[in-house]
């Protein structure tokens, strides 16, 4: 069986300008998408609301996940508590944000409601689910509640106000009705008689992967680029290095862009998928380059443009076979996987497609351009 | 068929066999984990001898298997109190400059005599649990002591609440407190992360939430959990404090008359040295013996600790406790004793740049922890030891004295060691020394952690997702194998064997390293499979080309490999470079991915270049086929 006849010659470079044009547009669109609509950051990056519930009847993880998806919380974490049947920890991405303006309003209402008692500390938790106060003197919890809820126009509802700390300290904490309570309500509707009686715990969770991870990722990307450029310059020729790196960046950028455009959730697993694409992209580009290098030695009379065409045509069979088999397994993952696994396969699918054509239409033309621009004149 | 081929063939088969053996314990562990409650335990398929030799296994990560979730509350108030105490101690030193007792440059190294002179003119006292401190001057309050002075001397965190007579009341500024709290939690999170990284437990996540630190450890054994718990909750505050054996007022000795009756606490005497002038003094200390059958050391410690808390200890001093006794000590029975020390600690764990376990041949190879100080620490340590020759110095970890050796001479060079307390057996002492090194290297926690919640949890993805995902992976690989066989025929079958062998080797190496399998890890495996396929595709395509040129199968295989080699090698090495970089700079999940990727590349190169060559050589040379069917 032969997909591509031997001695096939396709003039790939002839179409390079329109293809690059399309590709650059998509890449620009990808960069733009980061600003609007902006990445849909998952729990791992943005944090969220966590609640623990004990269902009164038998429920399965799948059922709970479906119920959460239906009530507008796709990508929620559903975690079973081991050793306790039907007890779950649920994490949704949303938090009960309180705008800075609202914070200020509540703050000034509190100060005026408390009169002589000074507000020493007023703090809204990052998840917007708690307001903690330290006052200079005693205060009535009902007054605090009233000031926080305002005349109903604050849009916040207080679940309870508790006083804690030593007798000399006047510390209060108001827990607010927020996303967690809404999720709890949704569960009640969805599960009726099997629903949990009350939420055992509702809390805000911070991001698992913060700036530290982001910085590490960016740093490693830059170093990887530098080292790969050095390797290529050493094993191949300096001319090849920029093309390979550009193709790599191009692939990651487009994958991220498409991911953002379809508003799939970015989390730690997505990062793993992007790294995979990075690996695939370099791998694919190097194979094409290797053939060009080999042909450079063999046909000294041909232009680089022709050599690229010859080489790409020669490895086309391999390209189709490798990308094809990889895509087939990614599709299988997509069909049989659920949520997170589907998201990975989606990213990989896009990445492999882009990674395959970028070796031909980004890496090679770039190399040819550099050759013409900087090396031809010298010769 | 030549000899060399036999040998290579045997190597490949041998390695494949080793890989299978290496994976057997993992298979058993997996079957055990799949057991439904009530069913009998499945018979292990691993022969005893194999499980003895191949101990490593792959453990599924938290997202796949579930595990332990620990929640700790950072005691930020403790951190703030500490900060207040540090500030007031610095304040005393700077006040010495203000009162012209010594110059600006001597503030940090003021001698005890100088500080005593300061104490005659001004006292700084912190108030209980509050955030306030009072500054009481013997005469009137110097005019220069005002808001601007505080700010200029680096006490911007303090504000003057009130001044009445010769007493000034200071308070920590509220807006700074929030920053302090945040810092405490961030530092705690970072330290816990560092400690866990040093332990080498892969894929553990550490999150912060308000004042809480949440640690998720993928399914591990109860012993591992225990070790993690003990290492996380250790504050690891290391301090070097000088003993006040020259205690002229006889504070400890004076307690003798008032010891609680029947409290199991007694007064003991020992001979020590209180500096070069008084090399032989009698020192009193409190001692609480461990009673027979006391399982842990807590009750004796608790008795002494509770008693010490009731005491009114002179300013600038502390009464610290240490475990003593056992075979290596002069005291035959085990128990806890007290040490009367100066409370200021000029050298702390922050000055330590490295730590390691070493063995002392003169003490029957007893393990000890060797420390290396940074430049600042080395200077301070030299100064501290130089100033206190022939005195005892307590090495204090988390308010417990580890050892209290006599300083024989000024110690320069920036090295020190911590001898472990008596009574510990060899293995126990080594484990203790190792744990100590872990916590010292990662640095001290800014504040103690209080465990607040602990749960064993199920997989994040749920069993259903994991099973479906595994199904998807199997079907995916299956389809690839079929496609390859159809398209490349004989060479495709060879490639199929290589893909299977590659996955086998990858898993075996993971098991040998005791790696954790998580979703990112599975992504890396998928990439590896793709790359293994690619290596074989490249080679097969080359062989095809050679065959088309009319070469014999034998020379087509030779040429095909020779030509494909650089492609296969370069493409894998560049990816490997990316792996190294990711490993170097990545944390947690990225690091895990990088390790898997690099192992995968190593196995792909081995199967792609070596194993498939052996197999094809066997077909063209051993079987001597007339025509090699490569599609």
């Amino acid at each position: 069986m032969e997909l591509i006849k031997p001695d096939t010659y396709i003039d790939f470079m002839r179409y390079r300008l329109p293809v690059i044009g399309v590709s650059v547009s998509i890449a620009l669109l990808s960069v733009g998408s980061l600003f609007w609509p902006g990445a849909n950051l998952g729990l791992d990056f943005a944090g969220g609301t966590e609640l623990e519930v004990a269902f009164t009847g038998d429920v399965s993880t799948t059922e709970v996940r479906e119920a959460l998806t239906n009530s507008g919380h796709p990508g929620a974490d559903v975690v079973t508590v081991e050793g306790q049947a039907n007890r779950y920890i649920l994490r949704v991405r949303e938090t009960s944000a309180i705008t800075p303006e609202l914070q200020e309003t509540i703050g000034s209402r509190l100060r005026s409601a408390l009169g002589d008692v000074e507000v020493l500390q007023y703090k809204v938790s990052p998840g917007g689910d708690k307001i903690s106060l330290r006052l200079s003197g005693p205060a009535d919890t009902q007054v605090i509640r009233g000031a926080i809820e305002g005349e109903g126009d604050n849009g916040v509802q207080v679940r309870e106000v508790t006083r804690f700390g030593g007798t000399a300290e006047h510390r209060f904490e108001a827990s607010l009705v927020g996303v967690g309570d809404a999720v709890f309500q949704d569960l009640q509707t969805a599960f009726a008689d099997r629903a949990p009686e009350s939420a055992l715990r509702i809390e805000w969770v911070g991001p698992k992967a913060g700036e530290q991870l982001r910085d590490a990722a960016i740093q490693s990307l830059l170093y990887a680029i530098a080292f790969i450029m050095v390797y290529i310059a050493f094993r191949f020729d300096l001319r090849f290095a920029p093309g390979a790196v550009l193709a790599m960046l191009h692939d990651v950028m487009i994958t991220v862009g498409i991911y953002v455009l379809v508003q799939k959730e970015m989390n730690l697993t997505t990062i793993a998928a992007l790294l995979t694409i990075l690996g695939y992209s370099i791998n694919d580009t190097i194979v094409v380059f290797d053939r060009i290098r080999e042909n450079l030695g063999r046909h000294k009379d041909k232009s680089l443009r022709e050599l690229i065409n010859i080489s790409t045509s020669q490895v086309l069979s391999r390209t189709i076979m490798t990308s094809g088999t990889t895509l087939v397994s990614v599709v299988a993952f997509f069909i049989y996987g659920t949520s997170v696994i589907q998201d990975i396969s989606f990213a990989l699918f896009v990445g492999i497609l882009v990674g395959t054509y970028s070796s031909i239409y980004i890496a090679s033309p770039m190399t040819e351009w550099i050759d013409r621009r900087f090396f031809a004149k010298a010769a | 068929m030549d000899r060399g081929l036999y040998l290579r063939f045997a190597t490949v088969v041998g390695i494949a066999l080793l890989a299978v053996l290496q994976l057997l314990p993992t298979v058993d562990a997996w079957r055990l984990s799949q057991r439904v409650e009530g069913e009998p335990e499945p018979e292990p398929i691993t022969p005893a001898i194999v499980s003895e030799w191949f101990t490593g296994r792959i453990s599924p990560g938290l997202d796949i298997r579930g595990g332990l979730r620990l929640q700790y509350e950072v005691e930020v108030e403790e951190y703030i109190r500490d900060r207040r105490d540090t500030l007031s101690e610095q304040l005393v030193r700077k006040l010495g400059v203000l009162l012209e007792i010594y110059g600006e440059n001597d503030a940090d190294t003021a001698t005890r005599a100088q500080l005593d002179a300061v104490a005659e003119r001004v006292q700084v006292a912190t108030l209980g649990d509050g955030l306030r401190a009072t500054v009481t001057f013997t005469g009137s309050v110097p005019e220069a002591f005002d808001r601007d002075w505080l700010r200029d001397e680096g006490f911007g965190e303090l504000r003057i609440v009130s001044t009445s007579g010769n007493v000034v009341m200071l308070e920590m500024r509220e807006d700074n407190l929030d920053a302090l709290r945040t810092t405490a939690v961030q530092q705690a999170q970072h330290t816990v992360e560092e400690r866990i990284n040093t332990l080498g437990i892969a894929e553990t996540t550490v999150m912060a939430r308000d004042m809480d630190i949440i640690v998720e450890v993928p399914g591990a054994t109860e012993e591992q959990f225990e070790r993690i718990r003990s290492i996380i909750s250790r504050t690891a505050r290391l301090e070097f404090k000088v003993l006040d054996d020259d205690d002229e007022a006889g504070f400890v000795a004076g307690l003798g008359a008032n010891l609680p009756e029947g409290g199991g606490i007694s007064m003991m005497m020992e001979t020590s040295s209180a500096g070069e002038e008084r090399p032989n003094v009698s020192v009193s200390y409190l001692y609480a013996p461990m009673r027979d059958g006391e399982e842990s050391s807590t009750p004796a410690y608790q008795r002494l600790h509770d008693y010490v808390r009731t005491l009114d200890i002179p300013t600038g001093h502390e009464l610290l406790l240490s475990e003593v006794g056992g075979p290596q000590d002069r005291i035959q029975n085990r128990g806890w004793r007290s040490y009367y020390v100066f409370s200021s600690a000029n050298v702390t764990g922050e000055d330590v740049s490295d730590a390691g376990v070493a063995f002392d041949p003169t003490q029957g190879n007893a393990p000890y922890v060797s420390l290396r100080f940074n430049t600042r620490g080395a200077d301070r340590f030299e100064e501290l030891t130089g100033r206190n020759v022939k005195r005892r110095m307590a090495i204090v970890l988390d308010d417990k004295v580890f050892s209290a050796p006599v300083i024989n001479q000024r110690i320069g060079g920036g090295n020190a060691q911590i001898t472990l307390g008596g009574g510990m057996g060899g293995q126990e002492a080594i484990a203790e020394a190792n744990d100590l090194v872990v916590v010292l290297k990662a640095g001290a926690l800014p504040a103690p952690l209080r465990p607040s919640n602990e749960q064993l949890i199920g997989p994040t993805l749920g069993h259903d997702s994991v099973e479906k995902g595994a199904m998807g992976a199997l079907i995916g690989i299956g389809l690839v194998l079929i496609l390859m066989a159809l398209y490349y025929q004989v060479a495709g079958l060879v490639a199929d064997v290589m893909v299977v062998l590659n996955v086998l080797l990858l898993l075996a190496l993971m098991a040998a390293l005791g790696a954790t399998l998580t979703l990112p890890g599975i992504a890396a495996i998928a990439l590896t499979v793709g790359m293994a396929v690619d290596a074989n595709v490249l080679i097969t395509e080359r062989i095809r080309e050679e065959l088309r040129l009319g070469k014999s199968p034998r020379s087509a295989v030779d040429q095909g490999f020779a030509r494909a080699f650089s492609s296969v090698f370069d493409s894998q090495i560049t990816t490997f470079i990316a792996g190294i970089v990711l490993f170097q700079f990545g944390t947690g999940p990225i690091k895990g991915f990088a390790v898997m990727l690099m192992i995968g590349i190593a196995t792909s190169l081995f199967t792609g270049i070596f194993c498939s060559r052996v197999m094809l050589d066997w077909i063209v040379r051993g079987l001597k086929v007339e025509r090699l069917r490569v599609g």
Side-chain angles (χ1 to χ4, degrees):
Chain A
M1 207 184 345
E2 275 167 351
L3 281 177
I4 308 291
K5 292 258 170 305
D7 301 322
T8 305
Y9 177 90
I10 303 172
D11 191 357
F12 286 101
M13 288 305 102
R14 198 172 152 193
Y15 312 102
R16 69 177 188 277
L17 289 179
V19 176
I20 291 174
V22 171
S23 197
V24 166
S25 322
I26 299 177
L28 286 179
L29 200 69
S30 299
V31 174
S33 71
L34 287 179
F35 297 97
W36 191 88
N40 178 4
L41 293 180
L43 255 159
D44 291 347
F45 288 102
T49 305
E50 175 174 292
L51 64 162
E52 191 174 339
V53 288
F55 288 88
T56 47
D58 279 346
V59 292
S60 74
T61 322
T62 324
E63 261 184 297
V64 178
R65 195 174 284 121
E66 260 169 32
L68 288 174
T69 308
N70 291 339
S71 63
H73 300 286
D77 275 355
V78 178
V79 180
T80 53
V81 177
E82 213 92 321
Q84 275 155 311
N86 297 317
R87 192 153 161 180
Y88 289 90
I89 296 172
L90 314 175
R91 280 179 221 150
V92 298
R93 229 172 46 224
E94 290 71 19
T95 53
S96 324
I98 290 185
T99 61
E101 297 86 53
L102 187 55
Q103 271 195 43
E104 210 144 287
T105 318
I106 294 176
S108 62
R109 279 192 171 146
L110 270 168
R111 267 180 280 273
S112 61
L114 290 167
D116 288 342
V117 177
E118 211 186 321
V119 181
L120 297 176
Q121 191 200 347
Y122 160 62
K123 201 180 142 203
V124 179
S125 73
D129 59 343
K130 262 179 210 159
I131 294 180
S132 37
L133 296 169
R134 207 161 71 83
L135 308 176
S136 64
D140 183 24
T141 51
Q142 279 307 315
V143 175
I144 296 176
R145 173 187 284 262
I148 295 174
E149 290 188 338
E151 288 122 36
D153 57 346
N154 282 355
V156 289
Q157 266 185 295
V158 177
R159 196 165 348 109
E160 58 177 341
V161 180
T162 41
R163 182 182 179 283
F164 65 100
T167 41
E169 277 179 302
H170 303 281
R171 283 163 67 194
F172 295 87
E173 196 171 84
S175 41
L176 309 178
V177 174
V179 172
D181 299 82
V183 170
F184 178 70
Q185 285 300 330
D186 291 337
L187 290 178
Q188 296 236 296
T189 330
F191 289 97
D193 55 326
R194 288 179 299 159
E197 275 163 15
S198 63
L200 302 169
R201 186 162 65 80
I202 297 182
E203 272 162 346
W204 169 77
V205 280
K208 245 191 250 183
E211 283 160 29
Q212 204 196 344
L213 183 85
R214 190 198 60 198
D215 294 346
I218 293 175
Q219 202 183 15
S220 48
L221 183 66
L222 293 178
Y223 276 99
I225 288 175
F227 285 124
I228 288 169
M229 281 184 81
V230 171
Y231 182 82
I232 294 175
F234 174 74
R235 279 282 291 172
F236 290 76
D237 190 323
L238 194 60
R239 270 173 280 196
F240 289 97
V245 169
L246 191 75
M248 195 165 107
L249 285 176
H250 164 268
D251 299 345
V252 171
M253 219 154 74
I254 289 186
T255 315
V256 170
I258 292 180
Y259 217 70
V260 170
L261 280 176
V262 298
Q263 285 288 292
K264 281 207 179 282
E265 192 186 293
M266 285 276 181
N267 50 36
L268 283 177
T269 321
T270 318
I271 298 289
L274 287 177
L275 296 174
T276 314
I277 291 164
L278 206 82
Y280 186 87
S281 170
I282 308 170
N283 191 56
D284 196 66
T285 306
I286 294 294
V287 169
V288 174
F289 278 5
D290 189 75
R291 200 41 98 95
I292 298 176
R293 175 179 60 179
E294 187 185 325
N295 285 332
L296 265 175
R298 203 180 283 172
H299 313 271
K300 290 218 157 61
D301 52 327
K302 293 210 164 75
S303 71
L304 188 58
R305 185 186 151 148
E306 270 176 293
L307 285 177
I308 291 174
N309 281 333
I310 294 172
S311 310
T312 316
S313 304
Q314 281 175 347
V315 292
L316 193 60
S317 176
R318 168 264 160 197
T319 305
I320 293 173
M321 202 53 201
T322 300
S323 302
T325 48
T326 327
L327 285 177
V328 161
S329 54
V330 166
V331 169
F333 254 113
F334 188 81
I335 294 172
Y336 286 93
T338 49
S339 59
V340 190
I341 295 175
Q342 280 185 331
D343 286 358
I344 301 187
S345 358
F346 176 77
L348 288 178
F349 187 86
V350 175
I352 289 168
L353 273 185
V354 178
T356 305
Y357 98 79
S358 73
S359 307
I360 304 172
Y361 278 108
I362 302 290
S364 304
M366 179 76 186
T367 306
E368 198 246 0
W369 181 78
I370 289 177
D371 179 62
R372 242 184 318 131
R373 181 83 180 69
F374 299 100
F375 291 82
K377 278 176 197 160
Chain B
M1 197 156 136
D2 52 302
R3 259 237 188 86
L5 187 58
Y6 271 127
L7 205 64
R8 287 187 290 147
F9 204 87
T11 310
V12 173
V13 173
I15 287 177
L17 264 175
L18 273 180
V20 171
L21 290 181
Q22 174 69 71
L23 281 171
L24 286 179
T26 303
V27 174
D28 270 337
W30 178 77
R31 283 173 64 221
L32 202 62
S33 72
Q34 293 292 305
R35 180 176 69 114
V36 183
E37 199 76 33
E39 269 181 33
E41 270 186 32
E43 276 292 308
I45 51 169
T46 319
I49 180 117
V50 174
S51 51
E52 241 170 70
W53 276 80
F54 299 95
T55 47
R57 59 201 61 186
I58 304 170
S59 49
L62 193 78
D63 51 354
I64 290 173
R65 188 205 165 170
L68 183 72
R69 186 186 136 102
L70 300 161
Q71 191 174 333
Y72 295 92
E73 196 179 323
V74 184
E75 296 190 341
V76 285
E77 300 308 320
E78 182 87 7
Y79 177 71
I80 289 171
R81 269 200 295 280
D82 265 5
R83 181 73 194 149
R84 178 200 62 181
D85 294 349
T86 314
L87 283 174
S88 37
E89 197 181 314
Q90 281 170 3
L91 191 62
V92 171
R93 290 171 184 275
K94 290 282 184 187
L95 280 170
V97 180
L98 182 76
L99 296 168
E100 290 169 359
I101 291 167
Y102 40 78
E104 183 76 39
N105 297 328
D106 299 330
D108 283 335
T109 54
T111 61
R112 201 148 296 289
Q114 284 173 327
L115 288 177
D116 285 345
V118 177
E120 272 173 35
R121 305 270 300 276
V122 61
Q123 284 101 45
V124 177
T126 50
L127 297 177
D129 278 357
L131 303 169
R132 298 187 169 187
T134 54
V135 184
T136 313
F137 291 90
T138 313
S140 57
V141 179
E143 233 165 75
F145 186 71
D146 60 5
R147 208 177 62 183
D148 292 338
W149 183 84
L150 283 176
R151 196 195 53 219
D152 294 344
E153 295 296 331
F155 298 105
E157 286 168 59
L158 299 173
R159 71 184 182 104
I160 296 174
V161 184
S162 62
T163 309
S164 62
N166 57 347
V167 182
V168 181
M169 172 95 75
L170 298 174
E171 192 186 48
M172 293 184 75
R173 288 164 52 133
E174 195 65 49
D175 43 349
N176 268 314
L177 292 182
D178 272 346
L180 283 179
R181 289 194 184 97
T182 318
T183 317
V185 176
Q186 277 175 354
Q187 269 185 30
Q189 182 188 1
H190 185 69
T191 310
V192 170
E193 259 168 18
E194 287 270 303
R195 288 185 188 174
I196 288 175
N197 277 344
T198 325
L199 274 184
I201 300 162
E203 312 297 344
T204 303
T205 60
V206 182
M207 297 183 268
R209 169 172 71 196
D210 266 353
M211 301 298 147
D212 293 344
I213 304 285
I214 296 164
V215 182
E216 293 183 339
V217 197
T221 61
E222 195 48 50
E223 293 137 64
Q224 272 177 303
F225 289 157
E226 208 39 67
R227 178 130 196 256
I228 291 165
R229 280 194 207 102
S230 83
I231 281 192
I232 290 178
S233 51
R234 229 173 173 159
T235 318
R237 204 180 315 199
L238 178 71
E239 293 162 318
F240 294 88
K241 291 181 173 178
V242 177
L243 267 76
D244 189 2
D245 284 336
D246 209 359
D247 173 26
E248 273 159 27
F251 170 70
V252 181
L255 296 171
N258 302 317
L259 287 179
E261 260 182 58
I265 297 172
S266 54
M267 183 67 68
M268 300 271 229
M269 296 275 278
E270 66 182 338
T271 307
S272 182
S273 163
E276 282 157 305
E277 308 85 43
R278 305 186 59 201
N280 267 307
V281 290
S282 285
V283 189
S284 303
Y285 64 91
L286 301 170
Y287 177 70
M290 279 183 213
R291 289 178 185 130
D292 277 344
E294 239 175 49
E295 267 292 298
S296 73
S297 53
T298 327
Y301 171 76
Q302 208 59 44
R303 282 200 301 279
L304 203 53
H305 180 75
D306 290 348
Y307 172 63
V308 167
R309 273 179 72 114
T310 64
L311 298 174
D312 191 13
I313 298 166
T315 343
H317 288 82
E318 269 177 291
L319 208 51
L320 297 177
L321 305 185
S322 167
E323 192 179 350
V324 283
Q328 287 152 23
D329 226 299
R330 273 171 297 167
I331 303 165
Q332 281 306 304
N333 302 312
R334 292 175 73 176
W336 286 80
R337 61 159 292 177
S338 72
Y339 283 106
Y340 189 55
V341 304
F342 291 108
S343 51
S344 74
N346 250 347
V347 185
T348 66
E350 281 177 39
D351 302 313
V352 172
S353 64
D354 199 12
V357 180
F359 297 90
D360 185 356
T362 63
Q363 296 287 324
N365 272 335
Y368 66 90
V369 175
S370 69
L371 301 176
R372 173 135 207 99
F373 292 113
N374 57 27
T375 327
R376 190 187 76 154
D379 288 349
R380 288 187 175 194
F381 194 69
E382 184 167 0
E383 198 256 344
L384 177 80
T385 50
R387 199 147 39 80
N388 292 291
V389 173
K390 293 292 169 202
R391 282 173 196 271
R392 286 191 287 177
M393 179 179 61
I395 298 165
V396 189
L397 191 77
D398 291 344
D399 286 334
K400 285 177 194 159
V401 177
F402 250 79
S403 56
V406 173
I407 302 167
N408 285 319
Q409 62 200 33
R410 169 186 288 265
I411 304 172
N415 288 308
Q417 59 190 58
I418 303 177
T419 324
L420 298 173
M424 261 184 272
Q427 280 308 312
E428 199 187 345
I430 293 170
E432 171 75 17
N434 278 322
D435 282 2
L436 208 59
V437 166
V438 168
V439 293
L440 286 175
K441 270 188 171 167
L445 283 173
L449 295 182
R450 195 164 52 80
S452 62
N453 191 359
E454 191 172 293
Q455 280 170 325
L456 278 174
I457 59 172
T460 324
L461 284 175
H463 289 287
D464 51 343
S465 298
V466 173
E467 271 161 29
K468 274 186 156 182
M471 177 86 151
L474 283 180
I475 291 179
I477 293 181
L479 282 173
V480 170
L481 296 184
I482 293 171
L483 257 172
M484 292 289 286
L486 281 179
Y487 190 67
Y488 291 129
Q489 300 183 359
V490 174
L493 284 174
V494 172
D496 285 354
V497 174
M498 291 311 133
V499 169
V500 174
L501 182 62
N502 188 45
V503 174
L504 192 71
L505 288 179
L506 174 66
L507 292 176
L509 277 172
M510 277 176 69
L513 292 173
T516 309
L517 186 69
T518 59
L519 270 184
I522 292 175
I525 294 181
L527 181 61
T528 306
V529 171
M531 296 196 41
V533 170
D534 190 46
N536 283 292
V537 168
L538 281 168
I539 291 163
T540 313
E541 286 284 341
R542 282 303 182 132
I543 295 176
R544 264 184 165 188
E545 280 175 38
E546 298 302 323
L547 285 174
R548 276 193 206 110
L549 294 174
K551 300 230 169 96
S552 72
R554 199 172 154 156
S555 83
V557 167
D558 284 345
Q559 287 294 308
F561 270 96
R563 300 226 154 153
F565 180 80
S566 72
S567 278
V568 175
F569 188 77
D570 282 332
S571 62
Q572 308 260 12
I573 289 300
T574 34
T575 316
F576 195 78
I577 292 175
I580 294 175
V581 173
L582 288 175
F583 181 77
Q584 198 60 41
F585 295 97
T587 49
I590 296 188
K591 220 176 185 134
F593 175 86
V595 172
M596 303 272 282
L597 182 62
M598 289 193 286
I599 298 177
I601 290 169
T603 56
S604 308
L605 278 176
F606 176 69
T607 54
I609 293 175
F610 184 77
C611 301
S612 70
R613 176 81 197 256
V614 172
M615 205 159 156
L616 281 166
D617 274 351
W618 171 66
I619 292 171
V620 295
R621 293 190 194 172
L623 302 180
K624 296 201 171 74
V625 290
E626 295 289 305
R627 213 182 126 236
L628 183 62
R629 292 173 63 90
V630 291

